[in-house]
Amino acid sequence: MKTMTKNKNKETKHSSLIVRWVSIVALTITVSFVIFSVVVYQIVSRQSLDQQEEMSLNVVTTLNRTLSSIPDELEISNVIPSLSPATRRILKGEPAISDKDSTNNAFSDNLIASISNPDINSAVYNKHGEIVFTNGNVTPKFKSFKEVSKNELVKRNGHQILLTYQKVYSSVNNKLTGYIVVSNNMTYYNSLMKNLLHSMVAISIIAIVVFVVTSYILVFNVVKPIKRMSKVAQEVNADPNSGARIKELNRDDELENLATSINQMLDRMQSYIEQQKQFVGDVSHELRTPVAVIEGHLNMLERWGKDDPQILDESIKASLQEADRMKHLIQEMLDLTRAEQIDVQYPHEVTNVYDTVKRVVADLAMVHPDFEIRLDEDDLPQDTEIQIYHGHLEQLLVILIDNAIKYSTNLKQINVSAGLTKKEVNIIVQDFGEGISKEDQKKIFNRFYRVDKARTREKGGNGLGLSIAHKLVDSYHGEISVESVEGQGSQFKLTFPLISKKKAAKLKKLNENSELPKSNLE
Ligand code: ADP
């Protein structure tokens, strides 16, 4: 009861595999893309920033090289002429454009060119932080700083701006003469990083959508057959006799294998249930007769038989006979059930056929002195061995010889022969009794089947011997067959696969090592 409620809870609690799977995929992809994007963004940003810093530093260095040649404190009067050759000439009263410029003042021209980058604004301040020169649209502000040179990133209107500060020392007397401040708008860098960010977000969104959709399709494909299987399992759970089976999945994979295995398992389980039902029905039917007989005798005794010693004697004898039959029946039913578990109980048993057949025949001949039981073992080498537990081979021989004796008529002779072919060992039990019709030959191996119920009962038969024999032989991968002519007799043949000497030795060794208990099956 407890387990049922537990299972029910489990059923209702289940959350969709698809939702779980897709969420995990989406989360994993998102996290991976975010990490990947951040790393790529950082690398690109670092490299581009390095380039921008180098560009700013070039301007600052170029300016500094020119300004350091001024020995005095920087001021408009000495900075402007040194930075602009044209200004210097005008101040000297010469023409602004000179042929000499290209050679004499090439450095200054280059300087102007380098600081004329539209992205870069530069300014020169004197020792007191007062502006003495500026170039560009915006004048980068002065801010005191301790180091000789420093870079600073600031954000303006959502854009990153690089500020480079450097002190100017006179190359003549090594004295601090002023400061250079260069601001770099980094237009290229800002637009590159903006585009990169947009692309990454777009790619991430597309990737997440693609992965989520494909994983949904994939998982759906896996979950669909699982749902089918679960539905069938529920149906069979609700009604163990249900014929519900998993339909063919048309996919050559593990799920198809699982579906096939589940179907086979359900078939087997239902066949076991059917067999079990049949067995219980058969058993109760078989037990009913002896119980009814005993009950009848007891009733009779109770009513009027107690005082009649003859009736009393007869009834007690008859009841005892029925009780004995019941005992025999129960033993046979146990044998039948156990015959189905041989694989597990006797995996490594090896038996010498010659010795066993000889022993059983001798024993039965002693019990039935009125019968002539002939043994022909000429074709059987004495060391012939087969894979079977010796008790089971004995049981098989007893069943067949016992039947031959039971169903013999006038000629009380039984022939037992044992022989060998290339791959098999054959044991034949022949009688010259009543024989079995073709129709009955097909049924005699069924449980509780008797050709003539009343007559067999008289002989003490329960119709279980041959079904036990059939199960045993089956378990040892052998065969049992019958040939019979009504009124002339029957011949039952046992066939077992022959095993090599090597295999026999190996099995014996394994058997010595195994500690399985056998007593319960004997
Ligand atoms: P039982 O215990 O009744 O003999 P079995 O399963 O051994 O049960 O046999 C089933 C039936 O097959 C028997 O009831 C009998 O009618 C028939 N049978 C078995 N062996 C022989 C035989 N050697 N000759 C004739 N009939 C046989």
Side-chain angles (χ1 to χ4, degrees), residues 243-402:
R245 292 291 180 274
I246 303 158
K247 287 197 195 92
E248 219 169 290
L249 301 175
N250 290 326
R251 46 192 296 163
D252 190 19
D253 60 8
E254 288 86 349
L255 284 172
E256 180 77 67
N257 290 346
L258 179 65
T260 316
S261 305
I262 291 177
N263 282 344
Q264 283 169 349
M265 191 186 74
L266 290 176
D267 287 346
R268 199 167 246 246
M269 187 194 81
Q270 285 182 344
S271 111
Y272 281 149
I273 295 175
E274 205 42 56
Q275 275 178 27
Q276 201 70 26
K277 265 195 208 157
Q278 181 85 33
F279 187 69
V280 172
D282 289 349
V283 168
S284 43
H285 183 258
E286 291 305 317
L287 284 174
R288 210 170 286 148
T289 316
V291 170
V293 172
I294 293 171
E295 197 183 22
H297 280 291
L298 289 177
N299 278 337
M300 191 169 71
L301 285 179
E302 192 187 31
R303 262 182 271 138
W304 41 268
K306 270 180 277 184
D307 308 322
D308 186 334
Q310 201 192 334
I311 294 178
L312 189 65
D313 188 51
E314 273 175 24
S315 292
I316 288 173
K317 267 192 188 140
S319 299
L320 278 173
Q321 204 182 344
E322 288 305 318
D324 190 53
R325 198 191 298 281
M326 262 163 53
K327 201 171 85 185
H328 187 61
L329 177 65
I330 289 165
Q331 182 55 48
E332 281 195 324
M333 286 187 308
L334 270 175
D335 286 347
L336 186 64
T337 321
R338 285 165 178 170
E340 287 163 1
Q341 305 164 8
I342 284 157
D343 270 5
V344 191
Q345 305 274 351
Y346 292 92
H348 314 306
E349 290 285 343
V350 172
T351 297
N352 182 300
V353 184
Y354 183 89
D355 294 347
T356 313
V357 174
K358 256 197 134 161
R359 193 173 53 247
V360 173
V361 167
D363 287 354
L364 286 171
M366 212 161 63
V367 182
H368 300 279
D370 48 333
F371 272 83
E372 186 191 350
I373 307 178
R374 290 185 190 169
L375 174 62
D376 172 10
E377 79 282 41
D378 292 349
D379 295 335
L380 186 75
Q382 293 197 9
D383 59 352
T384 309
E385 287 178 315
I386 56 172
Q387 190 175 354
I388 189 170
Y389 169 55
H390 70 90
H392 287 151
L393 184 58
E394 285 168 12
Q395 196 177 3
L396 283 166
L397 291 167
V398 169
I399 290 171
L400 296 185
I401 300 173
D402 216 40

Side-chain angles (χ1 to χ4, degrees), residues 328 332 399-408 429-437 440 443-453 455-457 459-469 482 484 489-492:
H328 187 61
E332 281 195 324
I399 290 171
L400 296 185
I401 300 173
D402 216 40
N403 275 353
I405 290 171
K406 255 196 299 194
Y407 303 108
S408 276
V429 177
Q430 185 189 19
D431 66 69
F432 304 93
E434 57 194 52
I436 310 159
S437 71
D440 285 326
K443 302 176 190 162
I444 51 171
F445 295 102
N446 294 346
R447 234 170 15 208
F448 296 112
Y449 187 79
R450 282 153 286 189
V451 175
D452 182 336
K453 273 209 167 189
R455 211 136 52 94
T456 310
R457 214 176 121 71
K459 293 176 181 178
N462 293 313
L464 284 176
L466 287 180
S467 48
I468 294 171
V482 60
S484 183
S490 315
Q491 184 173 299
F492 283 85

Side-chain angles (χ1 to χ4, degrees), residues 1-29:
M1 201 55 194
K2 249 184 182 174
T3 34
M4 270 183 73
T5 0
K6 224 176 171 183
N7 288 345
K8 252 190 179 169
N9 283 349
K10 260 188 189 167
E11 259 170 44
T12 43
K13 246 203 232 164
H14 101 112
S15 71
S16 169
L17 200 61
I18 301 181
V19 173
R20 259 192 274 171
W21 182 268
V22 171
S23 320
I24 290 170
V25 168
L27 193 73
T28 315
I29 300 296

